[in-house]
Amino acid sequence: MPDLKAPYAKMPDNNKSNKAVAIAYQPGNAPKITAKGEQAIADEIVALAKESGVFIHQDEHLCDFLQRLEVGDEIPKELYLLIAELIAFVYVLDGKFPEKWNNMHQKIMEEV
C-alpha cells in the first residue's frame, strides 16, 4: 500500500458508491495520485488516512474525476488551482504557513 502521509485524501459522501482517492504533494512537483479504490479498498484508504492524521476532503465529483487517473499519475493542469487551494487549506489547518506569509502579514499590519 502506498504511503498515505499526503497532505490530502478524499472520498465522496454518499451511500451509493464508496470511493476514495489519495493525493501526495511534494513541493516543486505536481500532486500525484498515490492510491485509489472502491468499497473495501476505499475504506482501507480512508482508515489509513485518518490513522496517519491525513485530512479528508469529501467531493463526489472531484473523486469521480480523479478515479479515472492511474496511481502515479500527476493531477491534470486543469485541476492545479483547485488542488492547490485544498492543499494550502490543509497546511493552514495543520498550522503550517509559508515563510513569506509572516512578512506579508506584517507589511499589511504596518500599512493599516
Side-chain angles (χ1 to χ4, degrees):
M1 190 53 109
D3 180 17
L4 292 178
K5 292 187 179 180
Y8 155 98
K10 48 171 286 331
M11 68 178 243
D13 186 23
N14 66 26
N15 295 326
K16 296 179 194 172
S17 178
N18 184 19
K19 300 177 184 177
V21 177
I23 299 172
Y25 170 69
Q26 296 295 323
N29 297 312
K32 291 184 179 183
I33 304 294
T34 57
K36 69 176 191 167
E38 297 183 26
Q39 306 308 329
I41 293 173
D43 293 339
E44 185 177 344
I45 291 168
V46 172
L48 287 170
K50 287 180 179 179
E51 184 180 301
S52 299
V54 174
F55 289 93
I56 298 172
H57 174 74
Q58 296 184 10
D59 185 322
E60 179 180 358
H61 301 293
L62 181 58
C63 186
D64 285 342
F65 181 83
L66 294 174
Q67 281 283 330
R68 297 176 190 171
L69 301 173
E70 296 298 323
V71 172
D73 284 355
E74 292 184 348
I75 300 301
K77 290 180 183 178
E78 294 80 12
L79 292 179
Y80 281 5
L81 182 58
L82 173 64
I83 299 299
E85 288 175 350
L86 291 171
I87 291 171
F89 183 66
V90 168
Y91 274 89
V92 170
L93 289 176
D94 226 8
K96 299 175 184 173
F97 300 92
E99 187 177 308
K100 294 180 182 178
W101 222 8
N102 288 335
N103 295 338
M104 187 184 315
H105 184 263
Q106 186 175 5
K107 287 180 184 178
I108 291 171
M109 293 307 291
E110 288 172 1
E111 291 179 14
V112 174

